[in-house]
């Protein structure tokens, strides 16, 4: 989708001032921090951290219960970090460890009914956080932003989370 040139637009790459990319990066960082603050505020009553939410969402994305090693690889973290997150989610009843039927040494992580209910609440909190961030934009501006963000994400090396 084309974005028309306007007094505040960036125009062609050659017409940018030398610090335009730095300013864009700073704006993206500020927006990310703001979104994180809003989302953390939304997650607080649910008693879950953003990292636990990410792990819970990742566990739910598998067709079958994933191994701890699968989760570490998908989240791009060390296995010990997954263990800590699973410990906390298991203590709250949102996931459970289960033995692998094919190998006694392998542990799988299953989402519980409580975990699924938490995910539903978390998705609502996430939508509320997004709505708060996007409130100043019109529907057309949101569509343009979505296209721009897709172009940025699609241009990055794939990382699954």
């Amino acid at each position: 989708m084309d974005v028309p040139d306007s007094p505040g637009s960036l125009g062609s790459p050659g017409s940018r001032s030398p610090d335009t990319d730095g300013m864009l990066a700073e704006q993206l960082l500020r927006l990310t921090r703001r979104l994180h603050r809003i989302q953390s505020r939304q997650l607080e009553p649910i008693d879950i951290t953003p990292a636990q939410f990410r792990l819970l969402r990742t566990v739910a994305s598998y067709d079958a219960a994933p191994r701890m090693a699968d989760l570490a690889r998908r989240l791009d973290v060390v296995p010990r970090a997954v263990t800590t997150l699973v410990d906390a989610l298991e203590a709250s009843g949102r996931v459970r460890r289960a033995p692998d039927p094919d190998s006694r040494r392998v542990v799988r992580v299953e989402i519980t009914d409580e975990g699924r209910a938490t995910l539903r609440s978390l998705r609502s909190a996430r939508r509320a956080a997004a709505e708060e961030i996007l409130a100043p934009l019109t529907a057309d501006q949101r569509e343009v932003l979505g296209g721009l963000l897709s172009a940025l994400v699609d241009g990055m090396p794939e990382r699954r989370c």
Side-chain angles (χ1 to χ4, degrees):
M1 178 172 271
D2 292 334
V3 180
D5 283 348
S6 65
S9 74
L10 299 175
S12 65
S15 67
R16 290 194 307 243
S17 69
D19 200 33
T20 299
D21 288 344
M23 289 177 8
L24 282 172
E26 179 62 29
Q27 287 176 308
L28 286 170
L29 285 171
R30 287 176 53 208
L31 182 61
T32 300
R33 287 182 193 121
R34 183 171 175 228
L35 183 59
H36 184 72
R37 278 192 310 274
I38 292 168
Q39 186 172 357
S40 292
R41 188 178 71 232
Q42 299 277 350
L43 296 178
E44 194 173 332
I46 301 170
D47 193 31
I48 194 167
T49 67
Q52 291 168 354
F53 175 29
R54 186 173 174 226
L55 181 92
L56 191 61
R57 198 175 64 230
T58 301
V59 170
S61 73
Y62 281 87
D63 292 331
R67 298 174 307 147
M68 300 278 275
D70 297 330
L71 293 168
R73 194 170 23 267
R74 172 85 61 95
L75 294 169
D76 196 24
V77 297
V78 296
R80 178 70 189 123
V82 170
T83 300
T84 301
L85 292 170
V86 169
D87 287 346
L89 288 170
E90 189 172 40
S92 67
R94 293 174 173 135
V95 300
R96 69 177 152 260
R97 287 176 168 90
D100 184 291
D102 300 324
S103 173
R104 293 184 327 171
R105 294 182 300 169
V106 175
V107 174
R108 298 206 172 252
V109 180
E110 298 175 339
I111 190 166
T112 64
D113 289 340
E114 176 68 25
R116 283 186 202 63
T118 299
L119 269 181
R120 285 189 295 276
S121 296
L122 292 168
R123 287 182 179 126
S124 294
R126 191 178 207 187
R127 278 192 299 277
E131 183 56 40
E132 187 174 331
I133 286 283
L134 298 172
L137 302 180
T138 66
D140 288 343
Q141 289 171 325
R142 289 178 189 206
E143 188 176 329
V144 170
L145 178 61
L148 293 170
L149 292 173
S150 291
L152 291 173
V153 170
D154 293 344
M156 296 172 58
E158 185 170 333
R159 283 183 59 184
R160 298 178 67 177
C161 54

